[in-house]
Amino acid sequence: MTILVTGGDGYIGWPTALRLANRTDDRVLIVDNFARREWVEEVGSVSAVPIAGIDERIAAAREVFDAGNLSFVEGDLVEKEFVDELLAVHEPDVIVHAAAQPSAPYSQINGERANYTQHNNMQATRNLVWGLEEHDLTDTHFIETTTTGVYGAPEFPIPEGGATMEHEGERDEVPFPAMAGSWYHLTKSHDAANLRLAAQQFGIPISDVRTAITYGTETEETRADERLKTRFDFDYYFGTVAHRFAAQAVAGYPVTVYGKGEQRKPFVSLEDAVEGLVELALADPDDRPEDLTVYNQVTRAISIVEIAETIADVGSEFDLNVAVEHFENPRDEDETHKMEIDNDRYADVIGGKDQDFESGIHDVFESLTRYDGTIAAHEDRFLPGVLEDRIDDED
């Protein structure tokens, strides 16, 4: 069996490929074009945790885990000719599709980057599912990391996938409406619709894994060797809110909360995100759903102020004096929105195991305090507008 991991050089993709290669003797093939490294460099930032090149990573995996089944091919999934050759040569039984431009703020910079994000993300997904159809590979289990951001922030509990619509006394089950709030998140809304169509028209078994905001620096495998570490972004464009807050704390800045900060967001640890993808990829074909299944890859909803206070508490264990400051909220939003999101299906996949937020943030500080010089050298990257200013200077 061959398992294809797209975006396998990325934050989630690399540790997923690493765990797969360690847990199975089946072939695990990474595909990437290293665009994430280029995007972060473009905004003037860098991974806080040094990351090895892909050849060194794979060599380390073979040395530490005897992962001779792990290999790599470089290519751009936007190019249909490349995808066709990839599928024809390797005939994957499972595809874990984690490749995407994943930043909402980056997609919002200007029209050029909005267009790039939408073309890059959706074209890659279309090429893959159409490639499976055209190469007679429709038994391949297609697993994509979409995002909980497709749901927006509705005032009712979010189901795991569908919704019930009622109109003029009639009711029916429908796909959850696209309520995304950025040009990036809309790419995943469109992907979700395209995946549903591919399942209906081509009969491809599809797992739409709607990944929450992910936190943490380590998995069981990445702890084993420095060369196996995954990337950690902390800048405004590619760093998630918990990671930016932690980096601010390490750099000596207060953690800033706008308004009450009581609005809740969905989160999942890196460890739990990787475990879920691996469990789905290695599932017995006879036990998995035959069409499309949605999984809400989330283990908890956490408020912004809870994130800030946890970072302050854990930071004190590392001799960091972290202040939490509240400022008037410049955005028109519900500062007390209590997100509720169903995740029973996903909890079953990971067997009810999950890493709590505090221990995940402890991992983050363990990593970041070792590389505080890198964060200090890029501390201006915490703020919005840095890339826009660079674009203006170039013009």
Side-chain angles (χ1 to χ4, degrees):
M1 184 167 91
T2 296
I3 304 170
L4 195 68
V5 181
T6 73
D9 186 56
Y11 171 62
I12 293 178
W14 166 247
T16 298
L18 186 58
R19 179 162 297 178
L20 282 166
N22 187 35
R23 194 170 287 184
T24 180
D25 293 329
D26 296 322
R27 186 180 182 211
V28 179
L29 178 63
I30 291 171
V31 180
D32 210 298
N33 65 349
F34 307 116
R36 173 68 171 263
R37 299 186 187 222
E38 295 173 4
W39 298 325
V40 173
E41 182 179 354
E42 179 189 4
V43 302
S45 193
V46 66
S47 170
V49 177
I51 48 174
I54 194 67
D55 290 339
E56 186 177 0
R57 281 177 154 182
I58 291 175
R62 291 173 177 170
E63 177 184 325
V64 175
F65 296 115
D66 194 26
N69 56 336
L70 183 64
S71 57
F72 169 75
V73 62
E74 183 175 355
D76 189 345
L77 298 171
V78 170
E79 302 297 330
K80 191 174 188 304
E81 183 177 352
F82 168 73
V83 174
D84 285 339
E85 182 178 3
L86 179 74
L87 297 178
V89 171
H90 299 289
E91 297 184 337
D93 300 274
V94 177
I95 297 176
V96 180
H97 182 36
Q101 190 297 95
S103 167
Y106 185 88
S107 75
Q108 298 287 120
I109 291 171
N110 54 26
E112 177 186 353
R113 284 162 180 80
N115 286 338
Y116 171 81
T117 300
Q118 295 225 334
H119 175 68
N120 179 80
N121 293 2
M122 292 187 291
Q123 182 76 357
T125 302
R126 288 193 302 264
N127 281 346
L128 285 167
V129 294
W130 266 103
L132 294 177
E133 163 68 5
E134 293 170 349
H135 291 274
D136 196 25
L137 295 169
T138 54
D139 287 335
T140 298
H141 185 192
F142 189 87
I143 305 164
E144 179 174 352
T145 54
T146 58
T147 172
T148 53
V150 302
Y151 295 124
E155 296 296 334
F156 52 82
I158 297 171
E160 206 156 14
T164 301
M165 177 177 286
E166 182 172 341
H167 182 65
E168 295 185 353
E170 300 295 331
R171 297 162 59 91
D172 200 358
E173 296 296 317
V174 297
F176 196 93
M179 299 174 67
S182 78
W183 297 96
Y184 156 69
H185 287 104
L186 270 177
T187 69
K188 295 302 185 177
S189 295
H190 290 306
D191 269 4
N194 286 338
L195 293 179
R196 184 171 296 277
L197 190 62
Q200 291 173 350
Q201 292 191 350
F202 306 150
I204 299 171
I206 289 174
S207 293
D208 178 354
V209 182
R210 300 188 176 179
T211 308
I213 301 167
T214 308
Y215 61 88
T217 53
E218 299 281 14
T219 65
E220 180 181 346
E221 292 78 15
T222 63
R223 297 178 197 276
D225 193 286
E226 291 297 311
R227 297 166 295 172
L228 298 176
K229 301 302 183 188
T230 196
R231 65 177 308 111
F232 183 94
D233 293 304
F234 59 92
D235 62 274
Y236 171 76
Y237 296 99
F238 290 94
T240 64
V241 58
H243 291 178
R244 293 199 309 273
F245 278 2
Q248 285 176 229
V250 169
Y253 287 92
V255 174
T256 52
V257 177
Y258 291 111
K260 296 178 180 179
E262 295 176 0
Q263 63 272 39
R264 291 181 174 272
K265 304 289 185 183
F267 283 83
V268 65
S269 72
L270 178 63
E271 170 65 34
D272 295 332
V274 167
E275 179 63 16
L277 293 173
V278 169
E279 286 290 333
L280 288 171
L282 297 181
D284 189 321
D286 293 333
D287 295 336
R288 70 191 183 208
E290 294 182 356
D291 47 11
L292 181 142
T293 305
V294 173
Y295 300 88
N296 286 339
Q297 193 178 46
V298 52
T299 54
R300 56 187 41 81
I302 312 173
S303 72
I304 302 301
V305 71
E306 284 178 286
I307 295 170
E309 290 173 351
T310 300
I311 285 172
D313 290 343
V314 177
S316 66
E317 299 176 24
F318 293 84
D319 298 324
L320 298 172
N321 184 16
V322 185
V324 178
E325 297 184 355
H326 290 255
F327 290 88
E328 182 178 353
N329 195 344
R331 297 183 290 270
D332 182 17
E333 61 180 347
D334 182 358
E335 296 173 1
T336 62
H337 181 259
K338 306 296 185 186
M339 172 171 281
E340 296 180 49
I341 183 166
D342 294 343
N343 70 338
D344 291 346
R345 200 176 289 144
Y346 185 71
D348 287 343
V349 170
I350 62 173
K353 300 179 295 183
D354 68 85
Q355 180 185 37
D356 64 66
F357 186 66
E358 185 174 340
S359 64
I361 293 302
H362 194 277
D363 281 347
V364 169
F365 277 122
E366 283 275 10
S367 299
L368 296 193
T369 51
R370 296 172 58 198
Y371 303 107
D372 54 354
T374 300
I375 295 170
H378 297 84
E379 61 185 33
D380 61 330
R381 302 299 101 174
F382 298 149
L383 303 174
V386 291
L387 182 55
E388 290 92 325
D389 291 343
R390 290 172 60 154
I391 293 170
D392 290 342
D393 291 342
E394 292 172 2
D395 293 341

